[in-house]
């Protein structure tokens, strides 16, 4: 357990504990009132862009990732499981390439979702080094702030805030009727929570990541259960 956050000691928690699951991590569920946040977005973008300087450029789009960015973006997706805090949860490495990214986006769109993305590229190399994704369900439910990541070699330049502010501005232009966004962050993920809190996300719930360690005789290292993640 990370030592950060808490979940209710309710019937579900007692059931999980009675089955041998340990609470390893707590995610904060947060919501953003997009209308209330709108007035500050240009300022956040300008401040973050000034901190990032000329070394980075921004690309934004709605829908499938442009071919020339797909391989690098897939590489950033693979880093989510290694770079986002996992507390005591055992997390397997993931293999991503342009084909997996295309499959994921195709499935999301086939389910009626709209995808909005923002990426920062490193001007000197042309590589994508930071990304963020918003997913908009078809039926008007709240949008989801999905993964956000800045490559470890490019952190500390406010690129997380920059891509998020750019994508929220894109949301406002393309889908002005979307007024609520939900996201999930590990309670110990201070760098990501700092960005989200500044944007106006407020806590609305908590989600536990539970894991049961199997004895060697049972033939496994452990099994984990939680409700997914976001950024
Ligand atoms: C969260 C994240 C996107 C922020 O990256 P960023 O935009 O480069 O961060 P900032 O520029 O706002 O950094 C502010 C400060 O925090 C530091 N910082 C940023 N990320 C950090 C991290 N993961 N661990 C420790 N310190 C970090 C920066 O070095 C900077 O320090 P400084 O003020 O002393 O210079 C980045 O840490 C990341 O990609 N983490 C892994 C993926 C992840 O957790 N995604 C969210 C999943 S819910």
């Amino acid at each position: 357990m990370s030592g950060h956050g808490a979940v209710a000691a309710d019937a579900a928690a007692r059931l999980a504990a009675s089955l041998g699951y340990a609470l390893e991590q707590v995610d904060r569920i947060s919501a953003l009132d997009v209308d209330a946040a709108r007035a500050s977005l240009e300022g956040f973008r300008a401040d973050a862009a000034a901190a990032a300087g000329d070394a980075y450029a921004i690309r934004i789009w709605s829908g499938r990732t442009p071919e020339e960015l797909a391989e690098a973006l897939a590489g950033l997706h693979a880093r989510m499981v290694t770079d986002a805090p996992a507390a005591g949860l055992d997390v397997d490495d993931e293999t991503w390439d342009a084909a997996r990214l295309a499959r994921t986006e195709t499935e999301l769109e086939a389910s009626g979702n709209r995808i909005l993305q923002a990426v920062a590229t490193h001007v000197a190399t042309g590589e994508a080094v930071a990304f963020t994704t918003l997913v908009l369900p078809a039926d008007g439910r709240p949008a989801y702030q999905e993964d956000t990541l800045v490559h470890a070699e490019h952190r500390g330049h406010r690129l997380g805030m920059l891509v998020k502010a750019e994508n929220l501005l894109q949301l406002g232009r393309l889908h002005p009727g979307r007024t609520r966004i939900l996201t999930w962050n590990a309670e110990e993920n201070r760098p990501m929570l700092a960005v989200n809190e500044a944007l106006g996300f407020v806590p609305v719930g908590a989600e536990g990541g539970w894991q049961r360690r199997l004895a060697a005789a049972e033939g496994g290292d452990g099994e984990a259960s939680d409700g997914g993640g976001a950024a």
Side-chain angles (χ1 to χ4, degrees):
M1 175 63 193
S2 69
H4 296 262
V7 294
D10 58 12
R14 284 196 298 277
L15 177 65
S18 74
L19 293 171
Y21 285 83
L23 178 63
E24 299 286 7
Q25 190 177 39
V26 175
D27 267 7
R28 179 190 300 183
I29 308 170
S30 309
L32 182 70
D33 176 341
V34 180
D35 288 338
R38 193 159 287 138
S40 311
L41 289 177
E42 296 279 4
F44 285 129
R45 172 172 63 178
D47 289 350
D54 295 338
Y56 301 96
I58 292 293
R59 295 276 303 270
I60 56 172
W61 66 92
S62 170
R64 299 277 297 276
T65 295
E67 205 176 311
E68 70 275 14
L69 291 174
E71 207 57 57
L73 188 53
L76 296 178
H77 274 277
R79 289 176 176 270
M80 280 303 298
V81 288
T82 57
D83 290 17
L89 291 170
D90 295 335
V91 180
D92 293 332
D93 284 349
E94 291 184 359
T95 305
W96 281 79
D97 57 14
R100 177 171 176 174
L101 183 65
R103 263 197 323 277
T104 303
E105 293 178 347
T106 301
E107 285 168 8
L108 276 170
E109 290 190 329
S111 310
N113 299 287
R114 300 289 186 91
I115 313 168
L116 301 187
Q117 307 200 65
V119 153
T121 60
H122 186 220
V123 173
T125 61
E127 286 293 290
V129 296
F131 80 100
T132 194
T133 306
L134 283 167
V135 171
L136 283 55
D139 60 5
R141 276 179 291 146
Y144 294 103
Q145 169 59 66
E146 296 284 356
D147 290 348
T148 301
L149 182 135
V150 176
H151 189 290
E153 288 170 15
H154 297 273
R155 288 186 193 147
H157 303 289
R158 312 289 290 140
L159 293 178
M161 172 59 93
L162 184 55
V163 290
K164 281 199 167 178
E166 288 280 7
N167 217 19
L168 289 166
L169 285 163
Q170 175 173 218
L171 175 75
R173 285 192 300 274
L174 299 183
H175 304 279
R178 295 282 179 158
T179 55
R180 187 172 163 85
I181 303 176
L182 292 173
T183 197
W184 280 248
N185 303 107
E187 271 290 355
E188 70 273 29
N189 196 345
R190 205 18 43 209
M192 192 78 278
L193 284 171
V195 171
N196 287 347
E197 288 165 358
L199 286 166
F201 279 92
V202 293
V204 294
E207 180 177 279
W210 297 77
Q211 179 170 262
R212 185 164 76 111
R213 292 189 182 278
L214 304 179
E218 289 182 64
D221 295 331
E223 55 188 28
S225 163
D226 75 4

